[in-house]
């Protein structure tokens, strides 16, 4: 008798994985796309919003439904968030997904716990599936048990696609849907197909979280294009290459999740205030979490890495920097991190320009490796990123007496096809001190 009951319970659990559609309803799997970059909207009885993302190499489409109430009213998960696999992924693909979950745990206070595929678990959890129809997930926790997150073979070729979909599960919308986007990005309506709602702004984020074109939740510049032209144009042309990266979380991505999930984790006050745009780390309440380029318990130090440096730049001294291996004409290595910090005397500013040959890996014009130049007054604010094969014709002047330059090849470009390698030639740049009268009005784009 007990054996029969256990078998019945197991069958009931299995049936939950397969939605039942009455006559006249169409399952998601039955949808037929009329062309690449199509968008199909269907009614969904799961109580949430589903976002389906096609890998860029095969086009892109999205599917979603508005749940009752405001789109901002996503349901947050309780910790830890349980997950399991449906059995369709290979071992190495499971490891990619596990690394993506670990990436979120390394940068936020959220926690994930794996449960066995054979284990009976009748509470909210994620089920990773691998049907050959792209990457998709729901936004926030929904009524469905289990909550499906689909990552097919193409999705798993790029690590950040898994990170992106898990971001939706945690409650993040696409960055360009933020209500405050208009200062940063322009929507090119004439180049978008009928699914204009994909670019409609509706997401209100907590105060203090900066809009980042380099967010892992941001579309690339041509996503959803009907004619191969831009659908998203950065208000500052220097930032055009920042959009669409799928290499890892941006500082603001993690800040959002830490704000909505972890705001009450730490009590009391820090020993000292966080410097350089850092904030109290909900994982380690006695220290700060720092923007890329800074380190130390309170973000007071520059994280120069193995090939960076700190320079005091004087009028009679130009400083030349370059990627590792540049003089030997060797390609730079994947997973390289270099940070340079420049300071000038009072009455002077700093100017940055690229010289000689240039080649930094990019993927469909989005920077997956980059040289980032932070020349604004606040060095924690995202700076323009430069990549691909052509040497950028820019002359950047700092807004005060400091400048931060970051070289990042944090993503292993050998795991993907379709990228523009640029031979990984690297870069060389010159930084000079100039009188304070020079303005950024003289920028070349």
């Amino acid at each position: 008798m007990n054996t029969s009951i256990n078998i019945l319970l197991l069958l009931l659990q299995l049936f939950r994985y397969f939605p039942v559609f009455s006559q006249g309803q169409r399952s998601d799997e039955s949808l037929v796309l009329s062309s690449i970059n199509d968008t199909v909207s269907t009614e969904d009885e799961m109580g949430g919003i589903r976002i389906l993302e096609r890998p860029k190499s095969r086009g892109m489409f999205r599917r979603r439904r508005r749940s009752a109430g405001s789109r901002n009213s996503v349901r947050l998960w309780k910790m830890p968030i349980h997950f399991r696999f449906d059995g369709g992924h290979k071992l190495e693909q499971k490891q990619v997904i596990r690394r993506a979950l670990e990436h979120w745990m390394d940068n936020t206070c959220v926690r994930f716990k794996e449960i066995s595929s054979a284990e009976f678990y009748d509470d909210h959890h994620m089920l990773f599936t691998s049907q050959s129809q792209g990457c998709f997930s729901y936004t926030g926790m929904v009524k469905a048990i289990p909550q499906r997150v689909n990552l097919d073979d193409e999705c798993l070729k790029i690590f950040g696609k898994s990170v992106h979909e898990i971001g939706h599960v945690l409650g993040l919308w696409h960055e360009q849907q933020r209500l405050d986007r208009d200062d940063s990005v322009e929507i090119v309506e004439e180049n978008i197909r009928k699914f204009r709602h994909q670019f409609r702004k509706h997401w209100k984020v907590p105060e203090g979280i900066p809009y980042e074109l380099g967010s892992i939740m941001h579309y690339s510049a041509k996503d959803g294009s009907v004619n191969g032209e831009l659908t998203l144009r950065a208000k500052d042309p220097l930032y055009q290459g920042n959009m669409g990266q799928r290499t890892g979380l941006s500082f603001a991505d993690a800040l959002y999740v830490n704000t909505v999930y972890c705001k009450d984790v730490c009590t009391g006050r820090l020993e000292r205030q966080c410097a350089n745009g850092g904030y109290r780390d909900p994982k380690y309440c006695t220290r700060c979490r720092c923007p890329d380029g800074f380190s130390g318990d309170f973000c007071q130090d520059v994280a120069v890495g193995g090939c960076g440096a700190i320079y005091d730049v004087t009028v009679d001294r130009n400083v030349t920097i370059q990627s590792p291996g540049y003089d030997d004409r060797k390609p730079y290595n994947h997973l390289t991190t270099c940070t340079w910090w420049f300071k000038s005397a009072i009455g002077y500013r700093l100017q940055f320009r690229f010289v000689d040959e240039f080649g930094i890996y990019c993927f469909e014009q989005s920077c997956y490796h980059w040289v980032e130049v932070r020349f604004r007054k606040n060095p924690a604010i995202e700076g323009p990123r430069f990549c691909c094969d052509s040497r950028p014709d820019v002359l950047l002047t700092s807004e005060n007496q400091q400048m931060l330059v970051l070289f990042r090849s944090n993503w292993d470009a050998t795991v993907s096809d379709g990228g523009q390698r640029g031979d990984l030639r690297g870069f060389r740049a010159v930084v000079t001190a100039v009188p304070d009268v020079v303005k950024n009005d003289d920028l070349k784009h």
Side-chain angles (χ1 to χ4, degrees):
M1 177 67 72
N2 289 337
T3 301
S4 299
I5 293 174
N6 288 335
I7 293 174
L8 179 60
L9 289 174
L10 180 58
L11 289 173
L12 288 172
Q13 179 69 9
L14 289 174
F15 278 130
R16 302 185 71 130
Y17 295 154
F18 305 100
V20 178
F21 295 88
S22 61
Q23 186 174 4
Q25 287 180 308
R26 302 171 65 191
S27 74
D28 294 327
E29 288 70 27
S30 70
L31 292 170
V32 179
L33 297 182
S34 60
S35 63
I36 292 177
N37 290 334
D38 216 356
T39 288
V40 183
S41 297
T42 62
E43 287 301 314
D44 192 311
E45 58 188 16
M46 305 299 245
I49 302 92
R50 183 177 182 180
I51 299 176
L52 197 152
E53 315 214 32
R54 208 65 178 165
K56 292 182 182 178
S57 59
R58 300 185 311 186
M60 177 200 72
F61 61 91
R62 307 286 194 270
R63 189 184 300 130
R64 71 184 55 189
R65 172 184 176 266
R66 184 192 298 250
S67 62
S70 168
R71 281 189 169 187
N72 284 316
S73 302
V74 296
R75 297 175 65 192
L76 300 182
W77 293 76
K78 294 181 180 179
M79 298 297 138
I81 302 172
H82 292 79
F83 72 94
R84 70 166 92 218
F85 297 96
D86 73 341
H89 292 103
K90 300 175 182 178
L91 177 59
E92 59 268 25
Q93 292 176 325
K94 290 182 180 179
Q95 289 301 97
V96 172
I97 296 171
R98 290 185 181 114
R99 284 199 302 116
L101 293 165
E102 289 170 1
H103 184 56
W104 275 105
M105 290 194 290
D106 288 343
N107 289 278
T108 69
C109 69
V110 299
R111 293 292 174 266
F112 299 98
K113 182 178 181 180
E114 185 170 356
I115 52 180
S116 167
S117 298
E119 181 180 348
F120 181 81
Y121 190 78
D122 195 27
D123 201 353
H124 289 284
H125 65 283
M126 294 188 294
L127 176 69
F128 287 102
T129 59
S130 58
Q131 297 188 11
S132 56
Q133 55 176 281
C135 328
F136 64 78
S137 58
Y138 291 88
T139 302
M141 186 180 73
V142 300
K143 296 176 182 178
I145 300 176
Q147 181 166 328
R148 187 178 172 200
V149 183
N150 195 79
L151 295 166
D152 70 6
D153 293 349
E154 289 297 317
C155 303
L156 292 169
K157 287 183 179 180
I158 297 180
F159 167 72
K161 288 184 178 290
S162 299
V163 178
H164 177 99
E165 294 305 326
I166 295 167
H168 286 313
V169 174
L170 292 172
L172 283 75
W173 295 94
H174 291 119
E175 188 80 356
Q176 76 276 356
Q177 293 178 294
R178 285 177 49 157
L179 292 176
D180 59 348
R181 73 176 184 205
D182 290 344
D183 290 335
S184 302
V185 68
E186 173 190 356
I187 310 301
V188 188
E189 297 283 352
E190 60 269 24
N191 295 335
I192 300 174
R193 280 190 181 271
K194 60 185 179 183
F195 55 97
R196 298 176 186 274
H197 59 281
Q198 298 295 345
F199 297 85
R200 186 179 301 143
K201 57 182 180 180
H202 62 77
W203 184 27
K204 183 178 181 180
V205 303
E207 186 177 353
I209 298 176
Y211 188 99
E212 283 194 339
L213 291 160
S215 166
I216 202 167
M217 306 306 296
H218 209 295
Y219 277 15
S220 66
K222 295 183 180 180
D223 273 347
S225 178
V226 67
N227 53 15
E229 300 298 322
L230 296 179
T231 56
L232 293 167
R233 182 181 292 120
K235 287 294 184 72
D236 185 338
L238 290 171
Y239 286 78
Q240 192 67 30
N242 291 42
M243 294 184 284
Q245 66 86 9
R246 293 294 180 264
T247 66
L249 296 174
S250 73
F251 183 67
D253 293 333
L255 174 59
Y256 174 83
V257 170
N258 281 330
T259 299
V260 299
Y261 277 94
C262 325
K263 61 182 179 180
D264 298 323
V265 169
C266 298
T267 59
R269 292 186 177 182
L270 275 174
E271 178 183 326
R272 55 184 284 193
Q273 186 175 358
C274 299
N276 294 310
Y279 63 94
R280 194 171 191 177
D281 190 343
K283 289 183 63 178
Y284 308 99
C285 293
T286 59
R287 56 176 299 167
C288 302
R289 178 161 291 276
C290 306
D292 188 18
F294 295 99
S295 63
D297 286 348
F298 305 99
C299 307
Q300 73 276 14
D301 301 321
V302 177
V304 296
C307 51
I310 298 175
Y311 291 104
D312 288 310
V313 185
T314 58
V315 178
D316 57 350
R317 179 194 180 198
N318 294 344
V319 176
T320 300
I321 62 173
Q322 60 195 29
S323 53
Y326 191 89
D327 279 336
D328 299 327
R329 301 193 64 82
K330 294 181 179 179
Y332 63 82
N333 293 325
H334 302 285
L335 309 178
T336 298
T337 299
C338 310
T339 304
W340 294 271
W341 176 253
F342 301 95
K343 296 180 291 182
S344 66
I346 297 175
Y348 291 87
R349 297 192 186 190
L350 298 158
Q351 280 190 339
F352 175 98
R353 69 183 187 278
F354 291 101
V355 297
D356 302 331
E357 296 177 346
F358 183 92
I360 305 292
Y361 180 86
C362 64
F363 186 83
E364 297 186 348
Q365 301 302 310
S366 293
C367 292
Y368 275 41
H369 296 171
W370 58 78
V371 179
E372 180 178 347
V373 184
R374 299 187 190 168
F375 60 92
R376 308 294 185 189
K377 290 181 179 179
N378 182 354
I381 293 178
E382 173 188 29
R385 295 174 178 177
F386 303 98
C387 61
C388 296
D389 290 341
S390 300
R391 187 182 75 200
D393 183 20
V394 296
L395 182 64
L396 301 177
T397 303
S398 65
E399 293 183 344
N400 55 13
Q401 288 78 47
Q402 59 190 15
M403 179 182 288
L404 191 71
V405 178
L406 305 94
F407 173 53
R408 299 290 185 264
S409 62
N410 295 341
W411 186 67
D412 187 348
T414 62
V415 302
S416 175
D417 53 4
Q420 301 162 21
R421 300 183 59 83
D423 297 324
L424 304 185
R425 177 67 180 96
F427 80 99
R428 176 178 285 155
V430 175
V431 179
T432 58
V434 295
D436 204 6
V437 294
V438 175
K439 303 293 184 181
N440 262 320
D441 296 338
D442 300 326
L443 284 179
K444 295 180 181 179
H445 300 315

